[in-house]
Amino acid sequence: MWTTTMNVTVHVPVVSVKSRSWCCYASLYVAEQPQVLNGNPPDRKEIRLGLPSKGRMSADTLELLKNCQLSVKQVNPRQYVAEIPQLSNLEVWFQRPKDIVRKLLSGDLDLGIVGLDTFTEYGQSNEDLIIVHEALEYGDCRLSLAIPQYGIFENVNSLEELANMSQWTEEKPLRVATGFTYLGPKFMKENGLKHVTFSTADGALEAAPAMGIADAILDLVSSGTTLRENNLKEIKGGVVLESQAVLIASRKSMIQRKGVLETTHEMLERLEAHLRAIGQFTVTANMRGSSAEEVAERILSQPSLSGLQGPTVSPVFCKRDGKVTADYYAIVICVPKKALYKSIQQLRAIGGSGVLISPLTYIFDEETPRWRQLLSELGL
């Protein structure tokens, strides 16, 4: 079912309402702006984390938290509230992603995980919202403009070419179907498209151009397969933003609500440690050498064997003729998966043997840089 919720023409400022001018465009921003509580967050003791309630984003979020030893425990799957036993005084609330952003602004949630597209569309650059971690490495997609491959668009391959088409006038503007009624008009204005109207739809946006309801669509794209199967194409310069899952928070909550900052710190450290370890392997091997320094020098001569900060080299003791000696040294390095086999070859070439491989689960830094950035942004 298709419903037109606005008729907005991006145009130079004109006072007349009849012309559907930029005044109408500006009013859209006011109408869609989320309501924000003034002053302190609502008085409650529990810390609240909002998580997506359905779909792939929900499943991937729960899997990530589980891998960080932060498993979500839900007594009743029909309930919208749960807990993470490792984080005391924390309630998990399952919500629609857009409602997570809105409830962070209203003070009903303190933390949340959503896609960057949702955060940007419904947060609308509100200063009370902070991105704590901008790259949780799942939910990858892009918000992109797509047009038909046929008809008047057959030879149109860029946003500039689309904007320069003579067909678009104040009386007959470019019609765009989208669910992104904040980012869409903002993007068009910033890129100089003057005559554009937007409509929203329930259902697959890809059908809109074929049905004659819209000339173009602005929607989330992953692989682009669905677009191609519906004879649509992306165009150069038409990507509004690249999106993935992000951890977000309320500035007011972190500053004013007891325990929120500490909980945020622990979540951030666990997330960082797990994400940094993905695709990394510990490589252990024995090497004969005259000293630890000599062995280290051989290892560092190979470009794939430097590890995170350098190799760990320690003597391997054995008893020979009644005496304890150290003819071999054990070396330990961290190697990314893509360089694993090459690293093993280099180890063998310089005398490594008995090579053992094990995946890494966590890599904890002395302090995560994102934590320092967060404190700086909060003025703490």
Side-chain angles (χ1 to χ4, degrees):
M1 175 180 174
W2 294 80
T3 57
T4 300
T5 59
M6 57 183 161
N7 197 6
V8 179
T9 298
V10 180
H11 202 275
V12 294
V14 180
V15 177
S16 170
V17 176
K18 182 178 180 181
S19 67
R20 298 180 300 176
S21 66
W22 171 243
C23 296
C24 298
Y25 177 86
S27 69
L28 170 67
Y29 281 69
V30 175
E32 295 291 330
Q33 185 69 30
Q35 297 297 312
V36 183
L37 282 181
N38 295 319
N40 297 332
D43 185 20
R44 55 177 164 78
K45 295 180 180 179
E46 299 81 13
I47 300 166
R48 291 179 178 173
L49 168 66
L51 299 182
S53 56
K54 295 179 180 179
R56 179 68 179 271
M57 179 68 82
S58 176
D60 288 350
T61 300
L62 295 177
E63 182 67 18
L64 173 64
L65 293 174
K66 180 180 178 181
N67 290 334
C68 296
Q69 302 299 310
L70 293 174
S71 294
V72 177
K73 302 296 181 183
Q74 194 174 13
V75 178
N76 185 341
R78 294 180 179 274
Q79 292 181 338
Y80 288 97
V81 65
E83 65 176 0
I84 298 177
Q86 288 79 9
L87 299 175
S88 61
N89 200 38
L90 178 80
E91 292 179 345
V92 174
W93 286 83
F94 292 101
Q95 301 285 299
R96 295 184 302 176
K98 63 183 179 181
D99 289 336
I100 291 174
V101 178
R102 288 168 173 166
K103 289 177 181 178
L104 279 168
L105 287 169
S106 69
D108 295 308
L109 292 174
D110 305 304
L111 298 159
I113 294 179
V114 297
L116 179 61
D117 58 290
T118 302
F119 171 83
T120 310
E121 171 71 16
Y122 295 96
Q124 300 181 11
S125 302
N126 191 287
E127 292 184 355
D128 188 52
L129 294 177
I130 292 180
I131 297 179
V132 178
H133 197 300
E134 78 288 353
L136 296 181
E137 298 186 12
Y138 68 95
D140 297 80
C141 60
R142 58 191 176 275
L143 180 59
S144 188
L145 188 68
I147 59 176
Q149 299 176 359
Y150 49 85
I152 61 173
F153 300 102
E154 185 176 359
N155 297 316
V156 176
N157 296 300
S158 70
L159 186 64
E160 182 180 2
E161 291 173 351
L162 180 66
N164 290 333
M165 292 178 69
S166 60
Q167 282 88 344
W168 318 130
T169 64
E170 188 174 335
E171 290 73 28
K172 190 179 179 181
L174 173 70
R175 300 169 301 160
V176 180
T178 186
F180 292 85
T181 56
Y182 169 76
L183 286 173
K186 183 174 182 288
F187 177 76
M188 293 299 189
K189 176 179 179 289
E190 290 173 349
N191 284 277
L193 277 81
K194 296 181 178 180
H195 306 294
V196 186
T197 59
F198 292 86
S199 63
T200 59
D202 296 326
L205 292 178
E206 292 83 3
M211 295 177 68
I213 297 172
D215 302 302
I217 67 171
L218 181 65
D219 201 9
L220 295 176
V221 180
S222 295
S223 65
T225 301
T226 304
L227 290 180
R228 291 189 293 271
E229 290 178 345
N230 286 275
N231 297 313
L232 299 174
K233 62 182 178 182
E234 295 178 86
I235 55 177
K236 181 181 178 181
V239 176
V240 178
L241 62 78
E242 299 282 350
S243 181
Q244 64 175 300
V246 294
L247 173 64
I248 58 177
S250 160
R251 183 187 299 269
K252 290 191 183 76
S253 290
M254 284 195 290
I255 294 175
Q256 300 172 6
R257 190 182 302 288
K258 182 179 178 181
V260 174
L261 193 60
E262 291 78 6
T263 297
T264 303
H265 186 200
E266 181 171 348
M267 287 187 67
L268 186 56
E269 286 220 296
R270 288 174 179 263
L271 288 166
E272 285 275 84
H274 169 67
L275 292 172
R276 193 175 180 202
I278 291 176
Q280 298 284 343
F281 289 82
T282 299
V283 177
T284 306
N286 290 333
M287 291 183 66
R288 189 185 292 274
S290 58
S291 68
E293 290 76 10
E294 185 268 329
V295 170
E297 190 168 338
R298 269 191 284 159
I299 295 169
L300 292 172
S301 69
Q302 303 298 315
S304 296
L305 302 181
S306 59
L308 294 176
Q309 295 174 320
T312 299
V313 181
S314 54
V316 177
F317 293 100
C318 62
K319 199 168 186 179
R320 184 178 295 114
D321 299 328
K323 295 181 179 180
V324 175
T325 62
D327 295 332
Y328 281 88
Y329 290 83
I331 65 106
V332 180
I333 56 174
C334 182
V335 175
K337 184 177 181 180
K338 62 183 179 181
L340 185 58
Y341 185 66
K342 184 178 180 180
S343 299
I344 294 172
Q345 288 179 310
Q346 291 179 356
L347 267 176
R348 287 170 172 168
I350 59 175
S353 63
V355 181
L356 304 177
I357 311 293
S358 57
L360 280 171
T361 306
Y362 306 104
I363 299 176
F364 284 95
D365 282 323
E366 184 177 349
E367 184 63 87
T368 168
R370 285 185 175 88
W371 174 245
R372 293 193 292 270
Q373 292 169 10
L374 178 62
L375 292 180
S376 176
E377 189 168 351
L378 293 172
L380 300 175

